[in-house]
Amino acid sequence: MKKLLIPFLFITNSLFSQDTITTKFTFDLLGSVSQANVVTQNNILLNSNCSVNWKKFETGLITTYQNMTSNNTQVVNDVVLRVQPRIVDKKYSLFSFGQISSLYSKKVNLRVESGLGYGQTIFKTKLLEGTLSGGLLYFSNDYTDLTHREGLRFSPRVQLFGKNERYKISYSLESYYQPNLMDKKDYITNTKASFLFDLNKKFAIKFNYSSSFESFVKSGGRNDIKNFTMGFNLNL
């Protein structure tokens, strides 16, 4: 009986070890305050990312919130919620995503986006890795003036990221371009760069730069937003 149980327990243990589900949670609290004479500007950025991994499957739930005021006048009050299931291998990834946004800065009550894409690792070294991806997405915008706009965008994207264990720093750069396939004058560009210095395994000091531009914007909207912020990063 013992001879029969030993192989059974070994096989069972091997199966369960291959099916381990892991989770990861990160949270950023970033901000900046600036003043020039009587003009005061406050900027707060909150980012969270909860991911669940099983074998080659990964699902991420990403939430982003930005609040910017100038002399107590609201400039930005934007919320983005994104879900991104994907299959990740050593050299490639297949991904889908769904995203909903409320963008005060763009005069958008509700933006809904969904799409599919493919990514490829283009190089990998000890300190730096680069990926290139492309996707096709559908968008639907409901504006504050009760108008509606929808279409298809192509989204090529490049990412660079890495970590130096010796100096306890990590860094990343991401940039994409999204032209409207039905209107050449309508496009979106976005660039994000971050630098983290680890205080311990869970906490880090983070410096962040982002630039977002949309060629099509309603009257009164802000289509060119740049941020340089610093704060803390929590990694669980």
Side-chain angles (χ1 to χ4, degrees), residues 24-57:
K24 184 179 180 181
F25 176 77
T26 60
F27 178 78
D28 296 332
L29 174 58
L30 308 170
S32 64
V33 178
S34 59
Q35 184 171 355
N37 292 340
V38 296
V39 179
T40 301
Q41 180 173 290
N42 300 312
N43 191 12
I44 296 175
L45 283 171
L46 301 175
N47 301 306
S48 69
N49 185 352
C50 181
S51 62
V52 179
N53 301 272
W54 178 70
K55 293 186 176 180
K56 294 184 179 181
F57 298 95

Side-chain angles (χ1 to χ4, degrees), residues 100-138:
I100 57 173
S101 312
S102 176
L103 307 172
Y104 177 91
S105 64
K106 308 291 189 300
K107 303 299 181 183
V108 176
N109 278 332
L110 179 65
R111 172 179 291 175
V112 178
E113 298 170 279
S114 61
L116 299 167
Y118 172 82
Q120 182 79 41
T121 299
I122 51 178
F123 72 88
K124 186 175 182 179
T125 67
K126 184 178 180 180
L127 299 177
L128 189 64
E129 182 174 346
T131 65
L132 186 64
S133 64
L136 184 66
L137 67 91
Y138 163 81

Side-chain angles (χ1 to χ4, degrees), residues 43 45 71 114 117 123 164 171 212 223:
N43 191 12
L45 283 171
N71 277 4
S114 61
F123 72 88
N164 188 314
Y171 32 83
S212 176
N223 67 334

